[in-house]
Amino acid sequence: QKYSKSKLQNQSNQTYNTNWQQSFWNFIKTWLDDNDFVEVKTSGSTGTPKIIRLEKKRMIASAKATGNFFDLKQNDKALLCLPCDYIAGKMMVVRAMVLGLDLYSVEPNGNPLNNDLITNIDFQFGAMIPLQVLNSLQNQPNQFDKIQKVIIGGGVVDNLLLQKLQTTKNQCFATYGMTETITHIAVKTLNGIHKTNLYNALENVKFSKDSRECLIIDAPHLSENQIITNDIINLNSTLSFEWMGRF
């Protein structure tokens, strides 16, 4: 069903039984309020975890960049199975709002496809952490195949999972990003004919490295300042790199 702004605001004012549902609606309430920013917890990729403010206009820019990279269209079905306490879950909601996606939200547990609400639905887009992907491949492989494009973030895709992904029918991608970059700014294709070891930049993103061989991100539409990471890389070009580990 479609939601008007007033209907969304009305539902976001209700109390929900589960933490994940409450978190989902709390974020929608925040997104629709009069502030031009959202406060988000960082994961600690660039230093000590903290609360930072992200401008909503930059979050919209990030959503549009993702839509362009993955060729997402209005009314495409998207699966949200990540908690909205953190940026990855929040941005799936923002992408749905900005791009006009048909968003299905399920409990963000370790086996999210084990859910009668989404049985046999064909999704065009979904986001998962590696554990969710591994469990889905073991328990609901046919349902996993029905998500055309899956982005995998929040952890390293190890060799075991990478091998399993070679047998899937859909397209799977590792993402590189953090709260400070409003989720992913680079994507690596994990299976199919375009499989690569390189992370490739989304639009308007450029890469360099510092004296430690660590990645520097230049993404003016997402952050006023360059973002200096603790990730050691092989710089392939200003638009691609190979991730080697943490400094």
Side-chain angles (χ1 to χ4, degrees):
Q1 57 178 317
K2 291 189 175 181
Y3 286 80
S4 63
K5 182 177 179 180
S6 58
K7 188 174 181 182
L8 283 172
Q9 286 173 320
N10 185 40
Q11 289 217 202
S12 69
N13 285 322
Q14 297 178 29
T15 302
Y16 292 87
N17 294 329
T18 62
N19 288 337
W20 69 271
Q21 286 175 310
Q22 191 67 58
S23 173
F24 173 84
W25 286 105
N26 284 349
F27 174 65
I28 287 180
K29 186 175 185 177
T30 299
W31 184 252
L32 297 175
D33 70 22
D34 293 331
N35 292 322
D36 60 3
F37 63 85
V38 173
E39 292 192 334
V40 190
K41 290 180 268 192
T42 70
S43 61
S45 298
T46 59
T48 307
K50 56 186 180 290
I51 302 287
I52 61 171
R53 285 186 175 182
L54 299 177
E55 292 179 70
K56 288 177 181 175
K57 67 179 182 184
R58 295 185 186 275
M59 296 171 77
I60 291 169
S62 170
K64 288 179 177 176
T66 296
N68 289 339
F69 189 92
F70 292 107
D71 194 28
L72 300 178
K73 305 273 196 305
Q74 188 169 352
N75 298 321
D76 276 355
K77 290 181 169 59
L79 176 65
L80 170 62
C81 56
L82 300 170
C84 285
D85 301 309
Y86 295 96
I87 189 66
K90 293 183 199 298
M91 280 306 299
M92 282 297 289
V93 176
V94 175
R95 289 171 200 137
M97 295 254 201
V98 171
L99 304 173
L101 305 178
D102 185 5
L103 187 68
Y104 289 71
S105 178
V106 299
E107 184 176 356
N109 58 29
N111 200 19
L113 299 186
N114 184 26
N115 190 309
D116 292 339
L117 288 173
I118 57 169
T119 301
N120 296 323
I121 291 177
D122 290 355
F123 289 99
Q124 281 70 51
F125 189 63
M128 294 185 175
I129 61 171
L131 176 68
Q132 290 175 321
V133 176
L134 188 63
N135 288 341
S136 296
L137 287 172
Q138 289 173 339
N139 301 316
Q140 289 88 23
N142 294 334
Q143 183 68 35
F144 182 77
D145 278 343
K146 292 186 179 202
I147 311 172
Q148 284 181 17
K149 296 169 185 172
V150 181
I151 57 173
I152 306 170
V156 175
V157 175
D158 63 22
N159 286 330
L160 172 67
L161 182 52
L162 189 60
Q163 282 179 330
K164 287 181 179 292
L165 289 174
Q166 304 318 304
T167 64
T168 63
K169 296 174 185 172
N170 55 6
Q171 294 176 279
C172 297
F173 307 86
T175 57
Y176 179 88
M178 58 209 72
T179 310
E180 292 89 334
T181 60
I182 314 180
T183 67
H184 51 259
I185 43 84
V187 172
K188 177 170 72 171
T189 306
L190 296 174
N191 60 357
I193 58 173
H194 299 296
K195 181 185 173 187
T196 177
N197 287 326
L198 296 176
Y199 283 96
N200 292 292
L202 270 63
E203 61 187 27
N204 302 318
V205 176
K206 289 212 164 64
F207 304 126
S208 56
K209 61 182 179 179
D210 64 13
S211 58
R212 304 171 302 159
E213 302 285 309
C214 287
L215 178 67
I216 300 173
I217 302 161
D218 192 18
H221 62 302
L222 303 178
S223 173
E224 284 181 24
N225 304 314
Q226 285 186 325
I227 296 169
I228 301 169
T229 74
N230 293 316
D231 288 306
I232 300 167
I233 60 153
N234 275 337
L235 189 66
N236 184 61
S237 74
T238 57
L239 298 177
S240 61
F241 67 87
E242 183 180 5
W243 185 84
M244 305 304 292
R246 298 302 291 273
F247 182 77

